[in-house]
Amino acid sequence: MLLAVALIVIPVLVLFACKRWTDAFYGLGSNRLLGFRTPLLLIAHPDDECMFFAPTILGLLRNELPLSVLCCSTGNYYNQGEIRKTELIRSCAVLGIPSSNVTVIDHRDLPDDPMAQWDPHLLSSLILRHIHEKNIDMVITFDEGGVSGHANHVSLYKAIRSLHCAQKLPEGCSILLLESVNVLRKYLSVLDLPLSWLCPQDVLYVLPEKQYQQAKEAMTCHQSQLLWFRHLYLLFSRYMVINSLRFLFRANEPDTKEKSQ
Ligand SMILES: *[C@@H]1O[C@H](CO)[C@@H](O)[C@H](O)[C@H]1NC(C)=O
Ligand SMILES: [Zn+2]
């Protein structure tokens, strides 16, 4: 009995202590991003922004970087595309990104489907067009693991990497990738902080308690997605609190010294 109580109480206490602890953290290495003028968050579905990228978004905005979002599908898997588009706009607003900075691609050949490989040529050309139109100087997106391994997430990585390798990106356009961690670490929530901190990364964002609430609030905008297991996700996912990112490519060092003073 005592053991059972201890088994419950101790993790809760540790979790609580770590939560407090994160308040002391800000973006580690985030000064590396200060020189960028037009960062773009590239996602596959409405809800990727808050399920996976909330610490990054809130960290960038905290550093007063302007941010825009390009979402490559409406999340139409269950025919809820229209609803989900509005949910994305509302969620972004809660996070602090105005609707004028959110673009959703609604293309019938880019379906929200875990089994679908998106046509790399179509996807790359749509992304590239957006990068040119908006003068983007940094793209932030998934890495080769796509966090959840969703084929659409991985397609974004492949598209941006191929654009980079084919030297089609405008000169000076950097690429920053959200690191995928193994499934054990993925559900450690804030307890993964020591490991995240020890592993090499270029930027590490950890959400303070108050902003974690903001991220959760953004998630509640995605009503159509809030099935019971999503609530568990909100509680245990590391990505609600911690984002570690690495540059795939970094163009000329922006003049960070000048800006950070
Ligand atoms: C939205 O985009 C505009 C134009 O790029 C930018 O000036 C502004 O700072 C962005 N807003 C936010 C909250 O990032
Ligand atoms: Zn997704």
Side-chain angles (χ1 to χ4, degrees):
M1 178 62 196
L2 207 64
L3 187 68
V5 171
L7 277 180
I8 295 169
V9 168
I10 291 172
V12 169
L13 281 181
V14 172
L15 197 71
F16 189 74
C18 271
K19 278 247 158 71
R20 294 278 132 214
W21 191 37
T22 59
D23 292 5
F25 269 78
Y26 262 20
L28 199 71
S30 65
N31 58 340
R32 291 192 181 121
L33 304 185
L34 289 181
F36 291 100
R37 279 164 296 118
T38 46
L40 173 73
L41 176 66
L42 178 64
I43 57 175
H45 316 111
D47 78 9
D48 289 348
E49 82 292 355
C50 58
M51 280 184 68
F52 307 121
F53 287 97
T56 301
I57 295 177
L58 293 170
L60 287 168
L61 295 181
R62 195 168 54 209
N63 286 338
E64 296 184 348
L65 271 99
L67 185 62
S68 60
V69 177
L70 176 63
C71 181
C72 294
S73 82
T74 58
N76 207 13
Y77 193 52
Y78 297 106
N79 280 322
Q80 293 173 316
E82 273 313 305
I83 298 174
R84 296 199 60 190
K85 221 156 114 179
T86 348
E87 289 174 347
L88 171 68
I89 304 277
R90 285 183 40 223
S91 153
C92 283
V94 169
L95 292 170
I97 306 168
S99 62
S100 50
N101 292 24
V102 182
T103 311
V104 182
I105 296 176
D106 188 357
H107 197 292
R108 100 192 116 76
D109 292 332
L110 300 179
D112 166 16
D113 187 341
M115 308 308 283
Q117 293 292 336
W118 283 348
D119 174 3
H121 293 291
L122 173 67
L123 184 60
S124 318
S125 70
L126 289 171
I127 293 172
L128 189 60
R129 194 200 301 166
H130 189 83
I131 289 176
H132 278 301
E133 266 170 18
K134 300 259 170 171
N135 250 324
I136 297 303
D137 65 359
M138 174 170 63
V139 177
I140 305 168
T141 193
F142 295 100
D143 70 358
E144 68 276 15
V147 177
S148 58
H150 195 298
N152 298 161
H153 299 174
V154 180
S155 294
L156 295 184
Y157 164 77
K158 287 186 175 157
I160 206 72
R161 194 195 52 186
S162 72
L163 283 172
H164 167 62
C165 292
Q167 299 188 323
K168 285 186 180 158
L169 290 176
E171 205 182 326
C173 185
S174 303
I175 303 166
L176 188 63
L177 302 176
L178 177 65
E179 277 190 314
S180 301
V181 295
N182 64 46
V183 64
L184 240 168
R185 291 182 59 192
K186 195 176 164 192
Y187 294 109
L188 277 182
S189 179
V190 72
L191 294 178
D192 187 55
L193 187 54
L195 256 179
S196 298
W197 188 67
L198 284 173
C199 293
Q201 83 290 112
D202 289 317
V203 184
L204 179 67
Y205 282 119
V206 182
L207 279 193
E209 174 69 21
K210 201 167 141 217
Q211 292 196 309
Y212 170 66
Q213 298 302 335
Q214 196 179 347
K216 279 208 305 199
E217 200 185 316
M219 192 63 206
T220 60
C221 296
H222 294 281
Q223 276 306 328
S224 70
Q225 303 303 303
L226 278 179
L227 310 170
W228 65 270
F229 57 88
R230 289 292 163 103
H231 289 281
L232 289 182
Y233 181 91
L234 285 185
L235 268 182
F236 292 109
S237 172
R238 164 192 187 267
Y239 289 88
M240 290 300 294
V241 204
I242 303 172
N243 277 177
S244 53
L245 303 115
R246 297 185 84 157
F247 280 104
L248 174 70
F249 169 70
R250 182 155 183 222
N252 295 334
E253 305 268 309
D255 204 348
T256 50
K257 283 209 191 74
E258 195 184 331
K259 298 259 169 128
S260 61
Q261 272 162 14

